[in-house]
Amino acid sequence: MIYVNGNRLPKKLPPKVYIALNKPKGYICSSGEKESKSVMELFDDYLSGWGKLNPGLPKPRLFTVGRLDVATSGLIIVTNDGDFAQALTHPSFKLTKEYIATVEGTVGNRHLMAITKGTVVDGVHCTPDSVELLPRQPDMPRARLRIVIYALKRVRIGGIGGYRLPVDLGYMR
């Protein structure tokens, strides 16, 4: 038997759990902040019934793989498998990510060409893997773009006078 801080470690490990969640807006991808709603709260019922569905197995310690901003909705993976999470997030695995961006105004071919050609950000040429204008939907008055990228790093919050990540802090790594 092994004890840690007076608690006996279970003989059995929980099974690996993999959940694809369509994260709603208004939730954070963290379990530490109490002032905001965490996506982990969405699994309270699932985890509270764990013992009945999985007798003798310890409850898994779930976490999100990556993050989405509180104002963003979309795919987030929730798991207890650290190796799997590493394979999805580490740049060495070179997994692309696909986003749907809703934009103001009309998007024409010249706009798509400009986005596809990319832009230079602080001396580094950045281009998406692909850009596609999605068909208009009756319930969506604004244009939507499908953008596939290899890596995404936020470098500014707010407009021109907003907060910018300084280049000397590893800006484009």
Side-chain angles (χ1 to χ4, degrees):
M1 289 186 267
I2 301 172
Y3 288 83
V4 176
N5 295 330
N7 298 314
R8 184 174 167 228
L9 292 181
K11 291 180 183 178
K12 295 181 180 180
L13 293 174
K16 301 292 185 189
V17 175
Y18 308 91
I19 302 168
L21 172 69
N22 185 2
K23 184 190 96 55
K25 291 180 182 179
Y27 286 83
I28 60 169
C29 294
S30 171
S31 56
E33 297 181 37
K34 299 296 181 203
E35 66 274 1
S36 299
K37 295 186 296 186
S38 168
V39 293
M40 300 315 295
E41 295 172 19
L42 300 173
F43 299 97
D44 287 348
D45 289 343
Y46 171 73
L47 291 173
S48 67
W50 180 265
K52 287 182 182 177
L53 296 172
N54 303 283
L57 291 178
K59 228 184 266 188
R61 185 173 178 275
L62 300 176
F63 58 91
T64 61
V65 178
R67 294 173 174 247
L68 286 176
D69 193 85
V70 70
T72 304
S73 62
L75 175 65
I76 198 81
I77 304 294
V78 178
T79 187
N80 63 339
D81 185 343
D83 292 333
F84 177 72
Q86 175 80 354
L88 288 182
T89 58
H90 197 275
S92 65
F93 290 92
K94 299 184 189 237
L95 293 178
T96 59
K97 296 165 186 78
E98 181 177 318
Y99 298 88
I100 304 295
T102 303
V103 297
E104 293 286 342
T106 303
V107 179
N109 283 337
R110 67 184 178 93
H111 299 109
L112 294 175
M113 293 300 292
I115 295 168
T116 301
K117 288 180 182 177
T119 188
V120 176
V121 179
D122 289 338
V124 177
H125 190 249
C126 305
T127 58
D129 292 335
S130 67
V131 177
E132 172 189 1
L133 179 62
L134 296 174
R136 288 265 183 184
Q137 292 183 339
D139 60 335
M140 295 287 296
R142 295 178 7 192
R144 297 176 312 129
L145 300 172
R146 178 187 324 271
I147 303 172
V148 178
I149 60 170
Y150 163 63
L152 177 69
K153 178 177 267 190
R154 179 170 51 209
V155 296
R156 187 178 72 202
I157 298 173
I160 299 300
Y163 302 98
R164 178 174 284 282
L165 181 66
V167 176
D168 61 346
L169 289 181
Y171 185 93
M172 291 305 293
R173 290 192 185 123

